[in-house]
Amino acid sequence: MNRAPESLQNVLESTFAGIRQAREAFTLQLKPQEIGTITSIVTGIAKVSGLPGVGFEEVLKFPGDLYGIAFNVDINEIGAVLLGDFWQLQAGDEVERRRHVVDVPVGEGLIGRIINPMGRPLDGNGPVISSGRLPVERPAASIMDRAPVSVPLQTGIKVIDALIPVGRGQRELILGDRQTGKTTVALDTILNQRDQNVLCVYCAIGQRASGVAKVIATLREKGAMDYTIVVVTEGNDPPGLAYIAPYAATSIAEHFMEQGRDVLIVYDDLTHHARAYRELSLLLRRPPGREAFPGDIFYIHSRLLERATHLRSELGGGSLTALPIIETEAQDISAYIPTNLISITDGQIYLSPSLFELGVLPPVDVSKSVSRVGGKAQRAAYRAVAGDLKLAYAQFEELENFARFGARLDEDTRKIIEHGRRIRACLKQPEFTPVSVPAQIAILLALTAGFFDLVPLDRMTDAEHAVREAAADIPDEVTARLATAEKLSDEDRVTITQIAREALVRFQTKLERKAKMEA
């Protein structure tokens, strides 16, 4: 009966002995902490005093687990950009210095996730599992670390792959007025990366929540979320989050590029990014320049897009391909922000509202679009037909404008116009239906050979679809050579042309029969 109290006493004595030992071993360590005070709050901006040692772009912690970035570092106070809801802050609140710059989680655990620029999940699938963190602002790779762009990035869009090719490591601007299909072009490119070993990052900057939800639903429906990371800021988010969003998304993409992987990043869109930066700059009393944008607006975009590159094989050979999107107003591509980005990027894809109204989708204006790098990486089969195709299409556009005046046309001019109309019809493509390389080559070869010229315009869609289906019959060894050969051989050209010709016979014979009956 007496053993139980004794055992309890032993337990208590050993416990207190352990506590005593821990207390004696503990030595108080004083850690200096810099604490400042909020002096004023405006929309997305806090003025802070009492932090003399803070550095530019250093993280500051505010009450309520809210963070900010030291943006204006003056003698007497700091202008901090807030990265979250600031309604609970007020003058007099304490601000803590964190002694590091803004960073974002990176790693395989982010693939398939939807996050905000701070790395917090937005998809309700639990916490984000990361393998490390990288600063959102990082220096671009040096020139000596870069390799030439040598591998194409197939978009699955015929008019782009044939006439405005994009290479892995290139920066290709997508611009056009509102509702011309800029996001659709970028989404088609993401969807076409399935089974291409290309990781995709989609960065939505200040977009409507409904628009972002539609994009994510499309990616999920088509199975693209298996290789895509989505970074989101909505229109009602603070301008500070919109400002750091593209930099955070680029750091996530660079982590995979440095592992030797090919990455595609879409910035949708940098118009909202420029406006967010303008808002922050005006609130911080920075002087506006041309068209009321601050003078360093060019620099914030150039240092972002310079991070897209193709690394040397000694560094893993990874690549980061950037597709920034920009919105023009009333087709004015000579405005301040569009001209900035045109000069920074390696080419542009211009989407024309007039072509959109005519039902030419995607409405790519070939005459105003250019790729300054991708032609070097374009597959040999495309190069064999792209030159003639672009020339014929340019001639057609000029003659079509001339023919609208009602001038009488000679037979050669009429043939050029009819041929051009069929080129335009073949380059039309519904959204979210990327076309494989063999199918594109078959269509382009049939176009240059004039096989479509005998097909009525109202049957062009069916005829083009028939050629796409027939492309599945191209022998595997020919398909393999399309991806690797330095030149399209005559034998391969004949093989593909014959398959396309047989697919179009039933459309051509009906036209010829009709012509004979009319004669």
Side-chain angles (χ1 to χ4, degrees), residues 41-313:
I41 289 279
V42 292
T43 305
I45 298 292
K47 296 293 181 68
V48 179
S49 65
L51 293 174
V54 75
F56 178 61
E57 292 192 344
E58 187 175 329
V59 174
L60 305 175
K61 186 176 182 182
F62 293 82
D65 200 29
L66 174 66
Y67 292 90
I69 309 173
F71 226 57
N72 270 18
V73 183
D74 298 328
I75 296 174
N76 298 319
E77 67 177 8
I78 296 155
V81 174
L82 301 173
L83 303 177
D85 293 327
F86 47 86
W87 57 269
Q88 82 278 12
L89 297 182
Q90 55 189 354
D93 286 345
E94 291 187 346
V95 182
E96 179 185 339
R97 183 182 173 192
R98 302 296 290 178
R99 300 179 183 275
H100 65 85
V101 296
V102 186
D103 53 18
V104 67
V106 296
E108 297 285 338
L110 272 70
I111 299 176
R113 300 301 302 271
I114 303 164
I115 60 173
N116 76 354
M118 301 292 289
R120 292 170 182 164
L122 301 176
D123 51 10
N125 292 336
V128 172
I129 300 172
S130 63
S131 58
R133 300 185 74 90
L134 286 178
V136 298
E137 291 265 19
R138 305 178 72 211
S142 64
I143 293 175
M144 298 306 294
D145 290 341
R146 301 176 183 231
V149 173
S150 56
V151 180
L153 182 92
Q154 296 295 135
T155 65
I157 302 171
K158 292 171 287 187
V159 64
I160 295 176
D161 288 341
L163 305 179
I164 318 150
V166 179
R168 296 188 184 184
Q170 185 175 346
R171 302 156 297 180
E172 185 79 5
L173 178 65
I174 302 172
L175 77 163
D177 284 10
R178 287 184 70 250
Q179 302 296 319
T180 50
K182 301 183 295 296
T183 301
T184 301
V185 169
L187 278 182
D188 277 336
T189 306
I190 291 176
L191 297 181
N192 196 54
Q193 304 316 308
R194 171 176 286 280
D195 301 325
Q196 300 296 318
N197 196 27
V198 176
L199 187 72
C200 301
V201 179
Y202 177 80
C203 179
I205 309 168
Q207 299 290 317
R208 293 194 307 270
S210 59
V212 177
K214 184 179 178 183
V215 168
I216 292 170
T218 302
L219 293 173
R220 281 185 171 146
E221 179 187 348
K222 304 293 184 180
M225 284 302 292
D226 296 340
Y227 53 88
T228 303
I229 301 166
V230 180
V231 181
V232 176
T233 58
E234 298 173 4
N236 59 348
D237 284 336
L241 274 182
Y243 168 69
I244 69 165
Y247 299 102
T250 306
S251 290
I252 293 169
E254 280 181 328
H255 168 75
F256 295 100
M257 176 186 72
E258 289 166 359
Q259 292 181 340
R261 299 182 65 173
D262 293 312
V263 189
L264 166 69
I265 186 165
V266 174
Y267 305 109
D268 191 8
D269 68 33
L270 291 184
T271 309
H272 293 295
H273 185 245
R275 288 171 183 163
Y277 185 66
R278 176 172 62 183
E279 180 181 348
L280 293 173
S281 298
L282 293 175
L283 289 169
L284 288 166
R285 307 294 188 195
R286 294 184 177 184
R290 180 178 163 189
E291 297 186 28
F293 282 98
D296 59 341
I297 192 78
F298 180 91
Y299 176 60
I300 72 162
H301 285 154
S302 61
R303 76 171 185 253
L304 169 69
L305 292 168
E306 273 300 308
R307 292 163 70 178
T309 186
H310 177 209
L311 295 177
R312 291 189 297 124
S313 56

